[in-house]
Amino acid sequence: AQSVSQHNHHVILSEAASLELGCNYSYGGTVNLFWYVQYPGQHLQLLLKYFSGDPLVKGIKGFEAEFIKSKFSFNLRKPSVQWSDTAEYFCAVNAPSSGSARQLTFGSGTQLTVLP
Amino acid sequence: DTAVSQTPKYLVTQMGNDKSIKCEQNLGHDTMYWYKQDSKKFLKIMFSYNNKELIINETVPNRFSPKSPDKAHLNLHINSLELGDSAVYFCASRIGGAANTEAFFGQGTRLTVV
């Protein structure tokens, strides 16, 4: 079964600092990759996704992520964070689970706190 | 229009009770999920339904049972609630069978067992 690792549990940055959140997955076949954001007290919302093509994908609110197949990574970046980016960020992988069923597996999440 | 809606948003109940959480999606998706988010924000998939058939059933206690009257609904019924069941439960849906689609999440149901 696939797994997703987010090594940064809690990241604290000042406004305007650059952000990079790590995500690594364990599945060796074709995968689809996602980053979701969960603002305090809210549900998960999609930030961006990678299915195929250009490994550098751009999402909403100035976020981008780069898929590096050789490193099994899909790191999230933003050049300049804002206080409103304070949230929990989840990396997710969509890969086969049992049989042909595909399962969306989430990493453990990274709490981002942006100080004003 | 709310794409994936869950009710109730908050649920406080005593140990031993039986409760249900409802989920409805108006996106026409084929696959619906239930996730449990614990106090450390970890998201664990519990169930997945595709065209009313259970296709993923993770190792959750059999006190938890998903019920899907039609493909737009996936309710979660919990028997004999325990303290450890306290968590936020998220319903989600996506186009079934297609790998390159994202899941849409409901607002979550915060369950507190006292």
Side-chain angles (χ1 to χ4, degrees), chain A residues 9 32 34 36 38 41-44 46 49 51 88 90 94 97-98 101-108 111, chain B residues 9 33 35 37 40-43 45 55-56 58 90 94 97-108:
Chain A
H9 181 64
N32 305 120
F34 307 83
Y36 283 83
Q38 186 179 26
Q42 296 191 25
H43 65 293
L44 281 80
L46 183 69
K49 59 190 177 186
F51 295 147
E88 190 87 20
F90 293 93
N94 192 20
S97 178
S98 56
R102 280 189 169 258
Q103 175 178 340
L104 191 60
T105 301
F106 285 85
S108 54
Q111 172 65 46
Chain B
K9 190 173 181 179
Y33 304 90
Y35 283 86
Q37 186 175 46
K40 296 183 178 179
K41 301 288 187 179
F42 185 70
L43 275 162
I45 187 167
I55 58 173
I56 299 174
E58 295 294 313
F90 285 99
R94 59 186 285 264
N100 57 347
T101 59
E102 69 265 31
F104 292 79
F105 284 80
Q107 296 283 342

Side-chain angles (χ1 to χ4, degrees), chain B residues 70-112:
Chain B
D70 54 62
K71 78 171 190 178
H73 297 83
L74 182 64
N75 303 327
L76 182 64
H77 190 75
I78 315 168
N79 290 325
S80 303
L81 278 156
E82 300 177 357
L83 292 176
D85 298 332
S86 296
V88 181
Y89 292 84
F90 285 99
C91 176
S93 73
R94 59 186 285 264
I95 297 173
N100 57 347
T101 59
E102 69 265 31
F104 292 79
F105 284 80
Q107 296 283 342
T109 297
R110 182 174 293 277
L111 171 65
T112 303

Side-chain angles (χ1 to χ4, degrees), chain A residues 8-78:
Chain A
N8 309 107
H9 181 64
H10 194 180
V11 173
I12 303 174
L13 296 172
S14 298
E15 274 194 317
S18 64
L19 170 72
E20 181 161 2
L21 301 181
C23 173
N24 289 91
Y25 62 94
S26 65
Y27 185 68
T30 301
V31 293
N32 305 120
L33 300 156
F34 307 83
W35 275 98
Y36 283 83
V37 60
Q38 186 179 26
Y39 297 104
Q42 296 191 25
H43 65 293
L44 281 80
Q45 303 170 46
L46 183 69
L47 268 182
L48 48 78
K49 59 190 177 186
Y50 171 79
F51 295 147
S52 63
D54 189 346
L56 184 62
V57 293
K58 295 189 183 298
I60 61 171
K61 303 184 181 185
F63 286 91
E64 64 178 32
E66 184 175 12
F67 170 54
I68 303 179
K69 188 174 182 179
S70 61
K71 296 184 177 180
F72 297 89
S73 69
F74 189 57
N75 293 353
L76 181 71
R77 299 195 293 250
K78 185 171 183 178

